[in-house]
Amino acid sequence: MTKATLADWLDDLAARHGEREALVDGARRWTYAELAVTTERIARGLVTVGVGKETRIGILLPNRAEWLVTAFAGFRLGALVVALNTFSPAPELRRSLVHADVQLLVVQPRFLGHDYLARLGEMSPALPGDGGPLFVPEVPALRRIFMVDDLERLAGAGESVPLEVVRALQSEVAPAELATVFFTSGTTAAPKAPLHDHAALVHQAGVLAEAFGYTPDDRWWAALPLFFTGGFVTGALATLAAGATIVLQAGPDPDAALDLIQHERPTILIGSNLVPALLEHPRLAGTPVAFRKGMAGNTPIIAKFCPADHLCVGTYGMSETATCVTSTRATDPVAVRRGSNGRPLTGVVLRVVDPASGEPAPSGVDGEILVRGPSLMRS
């Protein structure tokens, strides 16, 4: 299992892929080297407001570069990054902030039909505050809220912090320390908040990139929200692990998606609710589509959206295991990739047991799936 922190891993990627394109957000672009430097700048700014090891940083943003920049800046300092669902109504958002003890929140004021400042105001009339320290009983751990557009100002304040301070703090972060909180979808109960450490996420990124057959020439269409583990781990981290490019799409606009697909030529497709709408869009027939890799290779929709010789794989996983625990491989025969959810990934042990007795379930009999492996959540 890989033993590295996410910040050290990013620095290693920058050393290996320096001038390759890492991140695209509209007209804004970053190479791997530029992405590493940008996260250091934001980390210096975060130091000025007291962020350090175990500080809980909440990110309430759509898919934009600042999501990843803030996360990796926090990882450099040993902070715990809390991914917040931008679809959450005020009561659920408050529950997430309180449950995760979020101390610093980075938020975009509005996006599409969502007014996040109004949602904060529903929690307490003292929110969102004026940028200074907060002491609000309704969210008792929360001390500061930064608008996303304030990050550059924060980075400017961080120019007074020697870079060596950030690097010294980064050197004190261990791979076994916690890195992220991602809330589950809450389909059958209240959302849970699995915790994952640095080593688990770095390991998972490399394993997935290899299983999915990613190369530095690939480009991920990042329409799946980064606040889901699927977006952050199978999408962003696995793409970076291959030295490939993340192409961000913020919202569910089919026309904007087709423009992006045409101009940026992404090759990686990972679950997006936009795909059914795109399949029915009159512009699709005239839009060159380059998708060949990704997930859901054993579903009918991929056959409609990708060429016959695509390398998409079938997978199985969950938030608690930092996404996939099984996968077919991009190198598997077509019949295998289209007819299976795959076999265990490196280091994963799976058992199917009778839930009452705990004994192995016979072949063909339903049972409970037990998982052990390096990407399992921390208790």
Side-chain angles (χ1 to χ4, degrees), residues 42 52 70 98 102 127 144 152 205 213 216 260 262 305 310 336:
I42 299 300
T70 300
V98 172
V102 169
L127 296 177
R144 287 185 181 272
E152 192 58 36
L260 184 148
Q262 179 172 352
F305 208 68
H310 71 77
V336 173

Side-chain angles (χ1 to χ4, degrees), residues 5 28 35 40 109 182 202 214 231 251 271 290 332 357:
T5 67
R28 302 186 296 166
L35 180 59
E40 285 184 328
F182 278 87
V202 172
Y214 293 170
D332 285 340
S357 68

Side-chain angles (χ1 to χ4, degrees), residues 119-292:
R119 288 181 194 177
L120 290 169
E122 288 182 47
M123 300 177 204
S124 167
L127 296 177
D130 59 5
L134 295 166
F135 302 95
V136 179
E138 292 82 358
V139 276
L142 187 61
R143 292 292 171 267
R144 287 185 181 272
I145 296 175
F146 284 98
M147 302 301 130
V148 67
D149 291 339
D150 291 336
L151 288 177
E152 192 58 36
R153 178 178 58 80
L154 186 65
E159 291 177 2
S160 63
V161 177
L163 181 57
E164 290 74 18
V165 170
V166 168
R167 291 179 176 171
L169 291 169
Q170 181 175 328
S171 71
E172 294 299 316
V173 183
E177 291 177 8
L178 294 174
T180 61
V181 177
F182 278 87
F183 288 90
T184 61
S185 58
T187 305
T188 58
K192 298 183 288 294
L195 298 158
H196 284 94
D197 60 41
H198 289 258
L201 295 173
V202 172
H203 168 86
Q204 188 76 335
V207 165
L208 293 176
E210 181 179 8
F212 297 172
Y214 293 170
T215 73
D217 293 327
D218 282 312
R219 301 168 73 80
W220 172 48
W221 174 43
L224 186 64
L226 292 168
F227 60 72
F228 289 138
T229 52
F232 183 66
V233 181
T234 59
L237 294 189
T239 299
L240 293 174
T245 305
I246 299 167
V247 181
L248 293 168
Q249 177 164 338
D253 181 339
D255 281 299
L258 288 171
D259 289 341
L260 184 148
I261 289 168
Q262 179 172 352
H263 294 127
E264 296 294 341
R265 306 286 289 166
T267 59
I268 298 170
L269 176 62
I270 292 178
S272 168
N273 292 335
L274 267 175
V275 171
L278 294 182
L279 288 172
E280 298 179 0
H281 200 288
R283 286 181 51 200
L284 179 62
T287 301
V289 176
F291 293 120
R292 293 197 70 245

Side-chain angles (χ1 to χ4, degrees), residues 304-366:
K304 297 177 182 178
F305 208 68
C306 295
D309 63 347
H310 71 77
L311 301 177
C312 296
V313 298
T315 62
Y316 167 76
M318 62 202 86
S319 298
E320 291 85 347
T321 57
T323 71
C324 306
V325 290
T326 72
S327 176
T328 52
R329 309 307 197 257
T331 53
D332 285 340
V334 172
V336 173
R337 286 188 284 107
R338 295 184 183 177
S340 170
N341 286 325
R343 53 197 181 276
L345 291 168
T346 302
V348 173
V349 177
L350 289 180
R351 294 176 61 214
V352 181
V353 302
D354 181 296
S357 68
E359 295 299 316
S363 179
V365 175
D366 290 345

Side-chain angles (χ1 to χ4, degrees), residues 69-143:
V69 168
T70 300
F72 276 96
F75 296 148
R76 289 190 182 280
L77 306 175
L80 182 62
V81 171
V82 181
L84 296 166
N85 190 326
T86 58
F87 301 127
S88 295
E92 183 178 318
L93 179 58
R94 176 182 173 273
R95 177 189 177 278
S96 298
L97 292 170
V98 172
H99 184 75
D101 289 326
V102 169
Q103 296 161 280
L104 183 147
L105 176 65
V106 178
V107 61
Q108 180 166 313
R110 295 170 186 82
F111 180 67
L112 299 178
H114 303 282
D115 187 332
Y116 301 111
L117 301 189
R119 288 181 194 177
L120 290 169
E122 288 182 47
M123 300 177 204
S124 167
L127 296 177
D130 59 5
L134 295 166
F135 302 95
V136 179
E138 292 82 358
V139 276
L142 187 61
R143 292 292 171 267

